Amino acid sequence: MANSGKFNSFKKTAPQNSRTNSLSAKSPRTNRITRRKSPAKPAVENPIIVLFNKPFDVLCQFTDESGRQTLKDFIPIIDVYAAGRLDRDSEGLLLLTNDGQLQAKLTQPTKKTFKTYWVQVEGAPSQAAIKALCDGVELKDGMTLPAKVQIIDAPDVWPRVPPVRERKSIPTTWLEVQICEGRNRQVRRMTAHVGHPTLRLIRYKIGQWCLDDLQSGQYKQINQ
């Protein structure tokens, strides 16, 4: 009984219990998950840049379970990946690289790399419509950043296959559109917002790289 009494007294005042309580209070900190920033992508020893003029109706990927045309049908170079996307129904410049740092630079919105598009739209946009595109328009996913937009002469480009379906009673206009964002189908949504649906869209330039004389379906490799 004496021993039992000592045990009860010890149970109330023992410092090890206080240590247990202290540890219990600290346990949330010891179990805390610390989120670490992803390390910067290392520079590659032999960076490769491939410029490709993507034809209409070609997927911007190397495989497709449905048997549709992909980049693999045109580009035999391995270990390169598209820096950004180009919709299946859009044409023009696609840049592929094995350089993760360059890929990030061209695709991250904070880097504000400008892309230039030649856009055939239905109708004849007014100056008010052009100004609206330049100032930014309200889309479902928010306001677009200011763009550089101007009316241009029809560019001397390859014929599209299949041809663009134009309505004889409605004229068409070509625009040059420069944006530094990359939202899904952004240019098409912008022109539709001001009442001029896009009929044909060709990306001509990404940052410092442009199509030049690269024909539809052709690519060229740039070793740096």
Side-chain angles (χ1 to χ4, degrees):
M1 292 294 295
N3 287 340
S4 176
K6 289 181 179 179
F7 179 76
N8 288 337
S9 175
F10 183 74
K11 191 173 182 180
K12 293 177 183 177
T13 61
Q16 64 207 43
N17 272 356
S18 63
R19 285 200 303 270
T20 302
N21 292 338
S22 177
L23 286 172
S24 178
K26 291 181 180 180
S27 60
R29 288 201 295 271
T30 59
N31 292 333
R32 184 181 298 163
I33 298 174
T34 303
R35 297 185 180 276
R36 298 180 180 179
K37 293 183 179 179
S38 299
K41 295 182 179 180
V44 295
E45 293 184 1
N46 300 301
I48 298 172
I49 294 176
V50 177
L51 303 182
F52 175 53
N53 188 344
K54 188 188 86 67
F56 179 83
D57 204 31
V58 173
L59 292 174
C60 188
Q61 57 198 48
F62 280 93
T63 60
D64 179 60
E65 294 179 355
S66 301
R68 295 170 293 183
Q69 279 196 309
T70 68
L71 301 178
K72 187 177 181 181
D73 296 306
F74 300 88
I75 302 173
I77 302 170
I78 62 171
D79 296 331
V80 293
Y81 305 92
R85 297 188 62 81
L86 195 57
D87 295 326
R88 181 182 175 187
D89 54 353
S90 298
E91 308 162 72
L93 184 61
L94 187 66
L95 188 149
L96 302 97
T97 182
N98 63 342
D99 187 341
Q101 292 182 353
L102 175 60
Q103 194 174 42
K105 178 182 177 181
L106 296 179
T107 56
Q108 291 178 358
T110 55
K111 302 298 183 181
K112 294 188 176 181
T113 301
F114 271 89
K115 290 93 174 173
T116 300
Y117 299 85
W118 292 339
V119 190
Q120 184 184 17
V121 300
E122 191 173 79
S126 65
Q127 286 304 311
I130 298 297
K131 185 177 186 304
L133 293 173
C134 291
D135 293 343
V137 294
E138 182 73 36
L139 303 178
K140 288 184 178 181
D141 51 358
M143 284 288 294
T144 60
L145 293 177
K148 302 174 184 178
V149 184
Q150 62 177 342
I151 296 174
I152 60 173
D153 293 332
D156 183 17
V157 294
W158 58 94
R160 202 189 79 170
V161 180
V164 174
R165 297 179 63 180
E166 301 178 24
R167 292 189 282 181
K168 293 182 179 180
S169 59
I170 300 178
T172 68
T173 304
W174 280 89
L175 304 176
E176 181 182 85
V177 179
Q178 297 183 50
I179 61 173
C180 61
E181 297 179 278
R183 304 189 201 180
N184 183 45
R185 300 181 73 80
Q186 180 174 341
V187 173
R188 294 178 185 276
R189 291 191 289 145
M190 288 171 63
T191 65
H193 183 86
V194 297
H196 299 280
T198 292
L199 301 175
R200 187 178 185 187
L201 190 148
I202 299 170
R203 184 159 64 194
Y204 173 70
K205 190 174 183 181
I206 302 173
Q208 70 190 66
W209 296 278
C210 62
L211 281 177
D212 288 331
D213 297 326
L214 201 61
Q215 295 301 304
S216 181
Q218 292 183 345
Y219 76 90
K220 64 180 178 182
Q221 180 175 335
I222 302 172
N223 294 310
Q224 295 197 328

